Amino acid sequence: MKKYISIALTAFLALTLFSCSKKADIAGIEPKLPNLQLSSLGYQQSSPFTLTTILQVYFGATAKVPTGKFVVDILEGSTVVKTVTFPSWNGNDATSTDKVTNHTISYTLQDTTYPNTQVYSGSILLKFSALGLSVDKTYALRASAYAADGTTVSTVTQNGFFKTIAPPAAN
């Protein structure tokens, strides 16, 4: 009889420990999220790069406010070498024309259970030939995402982000 009572108590304990399901407290967590936050910045191509490279940079972000401009700074050490400004998170940079596209940005909204927060998965194409870079240099990249009203900004900097090299010699 003690054996059956022991089994019953063990089964009851196991059921109470593992039968509950945990759900995220959406209403409690969402207000604690920042209004705008860049969460990641990177690329999948192999470095070093020649000056003819078009680098695809990926970014992730969350926003509870409408988004505005997006700025990418290329730095050598702490000196800004080039600034690329995108008026919005989708489209060409400010220096592109109807005939020449220098740099582009785009995003996809990801599914989220937060009703007032959007999750962005984006990419930026940077045309090195339009950046005025030098050979045999290592550059940092600073991305700054702005809210539409300009008062909120989130910045991520990746030091030693990419290196440039001379193109291979022709045979």
Side-chain angles (χ1 to χ4, degrees), residues 63-104:
K64 295 192 298 185
V65 295
T67 58
K69 70 179 178 178
F70 199 104
V71 176
V72 176
D73 292 314
I74 309 298
L75 301 104
E76 184 180 348
S78 60
T79 304
V80 175
V81 174
K82 183 72 172 186
T83 297
V84 178
T85 302
F86 298 97
S88 71
W89 289 26
N90 196 35
N92 298 334
D93 73 308
T95 66
S96 293
T97 66
D98 291 339
K99 296 180 181 180
V100 177
T101 300
N102 289 322
H103 316 286
T104 62

Side-chain angles (χ1 to χ4, degrees), residues 6-161:
S6 178
I7 291 173
L9 286 173
T10 302
F12 177 74
L13 180 62
L15 286 173
T16 59
L17 288 176
F18 302 108
S19 67
C20 64
S21 64
K22 292 185 179 181
K23 294 184 181 180
D25 179 10
I26 303 299
I29 294 172
E30 189 175 34
K32 296 176 184 174
L33 295 173
N35 283 334
L36 180 64
Q37 181 71 48
L38 280 173
S39 58
S40 61
L41 191 64
Y43 59 85
Q44 293 182 330
Q45 293 163 259
S46 296
S47 181
F49 303 111
T50 65
L51 299 181
T52 60
T53 297
I54 297 176
L55 180 64
Q56 184 168 15
V57 178
Y58 297 101
F59 69 92
T62 59
K64 295 192 298 185
V65 295
T67 58
K69 70 179 178 178
F70 199 104
V71 176
V72 176
D73 292 314
I74 309 298
L75 301 104
E76 184 180 348
S78 60
T79 304
V80 175
V81 174
K82 183 72 172 186
T83 297
V84 178
T85 302
F86 298 97
S88 71
W89 289 26
N90 196 35
N92 298 334
D93 73 308
T95 66
S96 293
T97 66
D98 291 339
K99 296 180 181 180
V100 177
T101 300
N102 289 322
H103 316 286
T104 62
I105 188 171
S106 63
Y107 68 84
T108 303
L109 289 175
Q110 302 300 304
D111 292 334
T112 180
T113 55
Y114 297 115
N116 302 308
T117 302
Q118 293 183 317
V119 176
Y120 295 83
S121 175
S123 69
I124 301 166
L125 294 178
L126 296 174
K127 189 186 294 185
F128 280 14
S129 62
L131 293 174
L133 304 177
S134 299
V135 174
D136 293 324
K137 299 281 184 174
T138 300
Y139 294 97
L141 191 135
R142 178 173 57 213
S144 300
Y146 290 81
D149 65 6
T151 62
T152 305
V153 63
S154 177
T155 301
V156 173
T157 302
Q158 296 285 3
N159 292 315
F161 194 64

Side-chain angles (χ1 to χ4, degrees), residues 1-10:
M1 184 70 160
K2 287 183 182 182
K3 180 179 178 182
Y4 294 112
I5 293 173
S6 178
I7 291 173
L9 286 173
T10 302

